[in-house]
Amino acid sequence: MSNTVDPHGRWRLTNQYLECNGIPAIPVSGEIHYSRLPRTRWEERLRLMKAGGITVVACYVFWIHHEQTEGQARFDDNLDIAAFVRLCAAIDLDVVLRIGPWAHGEVRNGGFPDWVQDADVDHRTNDAAYLAMVKRWFNRIGSELQGLTGPDSNVIGIQLENELYDQPDHLRELKRLARAAGLSAAMWTATAWGGAEVPEDEVMPVFGGYGDGFWVDAEAPWDPTFRAHYFFSEEWDDPGIGADLRAHLSGGQIAPPTSISASYPPATCELTGGMATAYQRRPWPKGKDVAAVANNKIGSGSGWQGYYMFAGGTNPSDGLQESQASGYPNDLPVFDYDFHAPIGASGRLAPSFSELRKQHAFLAAFGSHIAPMPSTLPDRMPAGIEDSGTLRWALRSDGDSGFVFITWHQPHVPLPDYDEAQFRLALAKETLTFPLALLTIPSGTIARWPVNLDMGGVRLRWATASAMTLLGTDTAPVLVLAAETSIETQLCFPKGSTLNGPARQVGADVYAVDGTEPVTLTAKSRHGTLAILVLPAAQVNQTWVLETADGRELVLSTEPVWIGADGRLTGRSIGLPSVQRYSTTATRFETVKTAFASYGRSRQAVTAELIRAAKTIPSSFGSLAGRAAAPTDHVIDDLAQVYQIYLPVAALTGDGPTELEINWAGDVARLLVDGQVVADRFWDGSPWVLETTDVGLLHAKDIQLQILPLAKAASVGLTLEAQRRRDMVAGDLAALDKMELLQWTTWAEDRS
């Protein structure tokens, strides 16, 4: 695989790491579903993903989205998989296709069309009748993708099935059918969590890691399978993913964890990018909750960072979602699949985007160094998931140089500041202890500190700031470090080196840097010179590292920015943009001149008139497998409070994207346009953001919002913040706090 069978022109697989063009690399893949997005949104989402450090696009190919009626498969509009793959190639993004045929993805029947689900066959086995249906489907995919897979393609991976635990021979047969259909990839993969039996002679096992999930019971405490991901570990299996479906649909029990393979590097395809919202349990992972899991996986030796989801979306029509009506234990929203992803369904960026962007910039710059480096865990490890007193850290090193990874954050059970931290590293030729004095690591710290990093002929012995990226050239490099919040940035160099710039000496060859403004320093040794840019902690989340035709660029912007099709900096902002680019020659940030493609009116209040009060709400709408059922359409129509929505006409006539932001509280909300439900949401305390064009508001004559109150006794699990608001109300909870229209200004760099 990748080497002798289905060889690829760029990608090669080893048992320790992946290579791209002969250089060790750590791919970063992000899930996006083309069939859950309007085709007009594909390009901006993909360019945003790339700007966030994604190098590989992963996507399910949902059979039920394409062929709801047998023999009438559709590949038009947002189902045009070939056009999607070509667009990814044009943007220089590789692709992993997750072709199923069973996919899950919170989709009805796990992605099987109803006619497949209802067929008298043994599904997900080598039953000849079932395989005949799969063969026809794979052949159709192969026909659509003719010429788009193979050694020169950007399709570098194909995942077979999903969460298949005990059918290794079936995975082999699926691979045979896919290859016979003309599909080819450097890497064939299969999910290995839950103790799955994966035929390693045919597929690479891939893993996942979620810090929270909707699939545990509503009143369950923070599950150990989630908590484990907030520790560095040699364990890659997550037995909790899909455990509810396994128990409910097949009666199977969780198997012993799958050990990491000696034949493949540790690889992930489903690290938490956020979390879907089920009716009975509604997690809302915050930015650092997502970033902490990702940092732990890199520090633990990850050879492939893969996120689910990275860009949220919307189910294409009613009835395609996972639900109790289709035999699943959980009810999911009819349309909403925002997933609290780094890029939300409307295109709004979540805080997790900037948190992950820093890590991905690090991997892009230093991945060739890190990929071959094994992970070493400290002698003193946490005693268990309840241990909040032992520092969580790991070292990836080649024996001489490397990076110390620190993750001192977890949700639900906050960690205290860690006092008196100091690291003692037993390297091949020395024992290195740093920093000189004990320091305090604040709660919330997620860091990657370099050790014996050689750049430009200069060795940086250690630093108490995270390595972010490299700018400049091989002969004139600029090392960019990100200061940590409430930790003094200290740099140590070997004897004989000098450091020029605004830094003060605090010990032998150790210097401290003021962390309030960007600082450019120059380190010199008898072998060379290294420029070092130290970014203040307050500025790090505004930093974008973008790959351009002119090389890697460092840009400051609090709002979205990416590289357009013409190679210029492009973005959107609320009001006038404020964008700066770092000049390696002037050693400072300089303002980027911009020209407007459209100019928005920023935020405008939206008028909502209550036209019907809610009726009495029952405490339950039923249940399945002990889990609360969502209310039916009839119940919502009958019991919800209803608002008439009046949008400012001028706000809908601009050229730029416009969002409707709804801040509300209750149980279920639905937006109706001219009598049709176009969007829905289960309340979890987060704002509900909709792109106005995508939900048909541009030419709407009648817009209504339904909010079903949340019954005081309803058995639903909420985030701590949402539950606090619920507890403040004596009875049922229903409120419309505020509605606003946000008009984005779109711009591009003006090079005139």
Side-chain angles (χ1 to χ4, degrees), residues 138-149:
F138 279 7
N139 284 344
R140 186 60 198 273
I141 296 174
S143 175
E144 291 294 322
L145 294 174
Q146 186 175 4
L148 296 179
T149 69

Side-chain angles (χ1 to χ4, degrees), residues 240-451:
I241 305 176
D244 62 330
L245 290 185
R246 187 173 189 176
H248 179 69
L249 298 180
S250 68
Q253 300 300 311
I254 297 177
T258 299
S259 298
I260 197 68
S261 172
S263 301
Y264 300 97
T268 59
C269 66
E270 288 198 21
L271 295 179
T272 180
M275 181 48 56
T277 306
Y279 182 76
Q280 63 93 30
R281 194 165 190 272
R282 311 173 186 186
W284 178 17
K286 304 305 191 295
K288 285 196 173 184
D289 303 344
V290 170
V293 172
N295 195 60
N296 284 349
K297 299 307 176 182
I298 303 173
S300 296
S302 175
W304 185 322
Q305 291 286 96
Y307 300 94
Y308 190 100
M309 297 283 296
F310 201 84
T314 302
N315 292 326
S317 62
D318 193 351
L320 294 180
Q321 81 281 13
E322 174 183 329
S323 68
Q324 293 183 0
S326 57
Y328 287 73
N330 304 296
D331 274 328
L332 275 291
V334 173
F335 294 106
D336 180 52
Y337 202 69
D338 177 85
F339 213 85
H340 295 302
I343 304 174
S346 73
R348 177 83 65 91
L349 300 187
S352 55
F353 187 93
S354 60
E355 292 287 347
L356 291 176
R357 191 172 69 220
K358 296 179 289 189
Q359 298 183 23
H360 303 161
F362 166 76
L363 290 176
F366 301 103
S368 60
H369 301 284
I370 301 165
M373 291 179 174
S375 172
T376 302
L377 302 181
D379 293 336
R380 185 189 173 200
M381 289 287 290
I385 59 173
E386 299 291 346
D387 187 339
S388 61
T390 304
L391 187 63
R392 303 170 189 179
W393 66 282
L395 171 70
R396 284 189 76 164
S397 171
D398 58 10
D400 175 41
S401 64
F403 297 87
V404 168
F405 293 81
I406 306 165
T407 303
W408 195 236
H409 171 83
Q410 65 182 20
H412 305 305
V413 184
L415 299 171
D417 290 351
Y418 185 90
D419 296 324
E420 300 184 347
Q422 192 177 50
F423 301 92
R424 185 175 182 272
L425 310 179
L427 302 174
K429 296 181 179 180
E430 63 172 330
T431 296
L432 177 63
T433 301
F434 80 100
L436 295 181
L438 302 178
L439 59 77
T440 295
I441 295 180
S443 179
T445 299
I446 302 172
R448 297 156 295 281
W449 291 355
V451 173

Side-chain angles (χ1 to χ4, degrees), residues 99-266:
I99 63 173
W102 191 90
H104 194 197
E106 289 71 62
V107 171
R108 179 180 177 88
N109 308 327
F112 285 156
D114 287 350
W115 58 271
V116 174
Q117 180 73 11
D118 296 339
D120 186 18
V121 299
D122 290 330
H123 297 85
R124 307 175 70 185
T125 72
N126 284 344
D127 176 9
Y130 171 69
L131 290 177
M133 290 190 292
V134 174
K135 180 179 180 180
R136 289 195 300 271
W137 172 234
F138 279 7
N139 284 344
R140 186 60 198 273
I141 296 174
S143 175
E144 291 294 322
L145 294 174
Q146 186 175 4
L148 296 179
T149 69
D152 300 318
S153 167
N154 65 320
V155 178
I156 66 168
I158 295 176
Q159 180 185 304
L160 301 168
E161 252 281 346
N162 192 58
E163 296 172 358
L164 189 66
Y165 301 103
D166 56 1
Q167 297 283 334
D169 288 339
H170 182 51
L171 291 173
R172 290 190 178 95
E173 183 62 20
L174 290 177
K175 180 178 177 180
R176 188 189 70 78
L177 291 176
R179 294 187 75 245
L183 298 174
S184 174
M187 288 152 282
W188 295 81
T189 71
T191 57
W193 54 74
E197 298 176 43
V198 173
E200 293 187 7
D201 56 327
E202 295 283 355
V203 296
M204 177 171 70
V206 289
F207 297 90
Y210 291 96
D212 208 339
F214 67 81
W215 50 81
V216 298
D217 293 338
E219 304 302 327
W222 191 26
D223 195 85
T225 61
F226 301 142
R227 299 187 68 167
H229 295 295
Y230 290 92
F231 295 81
F232 295 96
S233 171
E234 296 175 346
E235 178 60 67
W236 289 86
D237 193 351
D238 183 338
I241 305 176
D244 62 330
L245 290 185
R246 187 173 189 176
H248 179 69
L249 298 180
S250 68
Q253 300 300 311
I254 297 177
T258 299
S259 298
I260 197 68
S261 172
S263 301
Y264 300 97

